[in-house]
Amino acid sequence: MKATVLVDNKACQGCAGEWGLSVYIEYEDKVILLDAGGSPLFFVNAGKLGKDISKVDYAVLSHAHYDHSLGMETFFENNSRADFFIQEGTEANCYKKVWLIHKYIGLPRNILSDYRDRIRYVSGDYKLMDGVYIIPHKTADGRAAGKRENMFLRKHGRWEHDDFSHEQSLVFETEKGLVIFSSCSHAGAAAIIEEIAQTFPGRKVHGIIGGFHLYNKTEAEVRSLAARIRETGIEFICTGHCTGDKAYDILKKELGDSLCQLHVNKVMEF
């Protein structure tokens, strides 16, 4: 398996960065795109890095926020065959409360209707292909994370704290063990590692890649997460995007060489 980062906050080697994430993953004889960033930048960077978006066989949306989905229309315009896999019940209804205002932070407003023939809704544990799985959250009370982050869903004319039922992990079987891609880990990176371990009993979880949503957390919270991650025994951790530089530095001190920095044009092979 070879994963190339097309979009992350950190630019690298002539490729711009943005607040968002997109990863081009080559697995066996198939290509999978995880997320489409916050603009057409993923497509621009793909061209610079020699990655052909028209050859993507499957596209997967980690969750329904703008910084992972605003490039979806660009994807559909440049790929005529791959479906985009999202969690059942996902809607364009995600908001973040800033003071007294609910600010929209969700999908492109009409993407689900304009490209309904290219959207695939999945529920439960879903086998995308041999060795590749889409796994939803199984942690109880996801709304606690929504309350903590001041994030909401607009449902039936009412505001509800986001339960992150639209968030999912992409999991690969590799020679080293299972590798998890969890783009923002709103439910908590350690909880997601534990979810995957419970989903695949007896299987080794080798690595996790993605943002950990720590940019707004205290040092104590970051150190607590590091301790939980260490207890899982996971060997490879690559994080960026919404983790934040301060939190990354703390994690590095706690997790040492098992941790590395996500950035545009980072290539990971397993």
Side-chain angles (χ1 to χ4, degrees):
M1 184 184 83
K2 180 179 181 180
T4 303
V5 180
L6 302 181
V7 169
D8 179 70
N9 297 24
K10 292 188 177 296
C12 186
Q13 298 178 353
C15 292
E18 68 178 1
W19 180 272
L21 195 66
S22 180
V23 187
Y24 188 98
I25 304 165
E26 297 161 89
Y27 187 86
E28 303 294 344
D29 60 344
K30 300 295 184 182
V31 178
I32 301 167
L33 183 76
L34 174 64
D35 294 341
S39 74
L41 180 63
F42 83 97
F43 181 73
V44 175
N45 283 347
K48 291 180 179 180
L49 298 174
K51 303 301 180 183
D52 189 347
I53 295 300
S54 72
K55 291 183 178 179
V56 171
D57 298 287
Y58 307 101
V60 177
L61 184 67
S62 64
H63 62 294
H65 286 172
Y66 74 96
D67 46 337
H68 301 262
S69 65
L70 287 186
M72 287 177 70
E73 185 170 8
T74 298
F75 173 79
F76 290 131
E77 290 172 347
N78 291 279
N79 180 298
S80 61
R81 61 198 186 97
D83 288 337
F84 229 112
F85 290 76
I86 68 177
Q87 270 295 304
E88 189 76 46
T90 296
E91 301 177 42
N93 65 344
C94 294
Y95 291 79
K96 182 176 178 64
K97 192 173 184 181
V98 182
W99 296 103
L100 300 177
I101 305 298
H102 288 87
K103 179 183 177 181
Y104 184 68
I105 59 168
L107 300 167
R109 290 283 191 178
N110 299 316
I111 201 77
L112 299 182
S113 56
D114 290 350
Y115 293 95
R116 62 174 63 87
D117 59 329
R118 303 282 304 278
I119 302 291
R120 286 280 301 277
Y121 294 94
V122 298
S123 61
D125 300 337
Y126 183 85
K127 183 178 179 179
L128 186 65
M129 57 176 281
D130 286 344
V132 184
Y133 306 88
I134 297 172
I135 307 297
H137 282 315
K138 299 175 181 180
T139 304
D141 192 19
R143 283 194 173 83
K147 185 175 183 180
R148 182 181 67 241
E149 299 298 334
N150 229 9
M151 291 181 176
F152 291 81
L153 301 176
R154 183 69 170 171
K155 287 190 173 183
H156 311 297
R158 296 181 302 176
W159 296 109
E160 300 179 4
H161 281 112
D162 198 334
D163 61 358
F164 296 104
S165 57
H166 54 91
E167 190 168 44
Q168 54 191 9
S169 297
L170 188 57
V171 180
F172 293 83
E173 294 178 355
T174 77
E175 293 179 359
K176 293 184 177 181
L178 300 174
V179 174
I180 308 164
F181 286 80
S182 179
S183 295
C184 272
S185 310
H186 289 97
I192 290 168
I193 297 168
E194 292 161 1
E195 287 175 354
I196 300 306
Q198 292 164 8
T199 302
F200 299 91
R203 300 289 298 277
K204 176 184 177 182
V205 181
H206 170 69
I208 185 168
I209 300 162
F212 292 172
H213 214 270
L214 298 174
Y215 73 94
N216 58 354
K217 303 299 186 297
T218 66
E219 180 175 341
E221 288 173 313
V222 176
R223 291 191 186 279
S224 175
L225 174 65
R228 283 188 63 191
I229 291 175
R230 192 164 47 243
E231 288 173 1
T232 68
I234 202 164
E235 297 171 340
F236 178 83
I237 306 140
C238 187
T239 190
H241 177 41
C242 55
T243 295
D245 291 342
K246 181 180 177 181
Y248 180 87
D249 290 343
I250 297 169
L251 289 175
K252 188 66 176 176
K253 291 176 183 177
E254 296 290 324
L255 299 173
D257 291 342
S258 63
L259 181 76
C260 64
Q261 177 72 62
L262 208 61
H263 58 76
V264 177
N265 196 21
K266 185 171 184 64
V267 177
M268 294 161 281
E269 297 190 58
F270 302 91

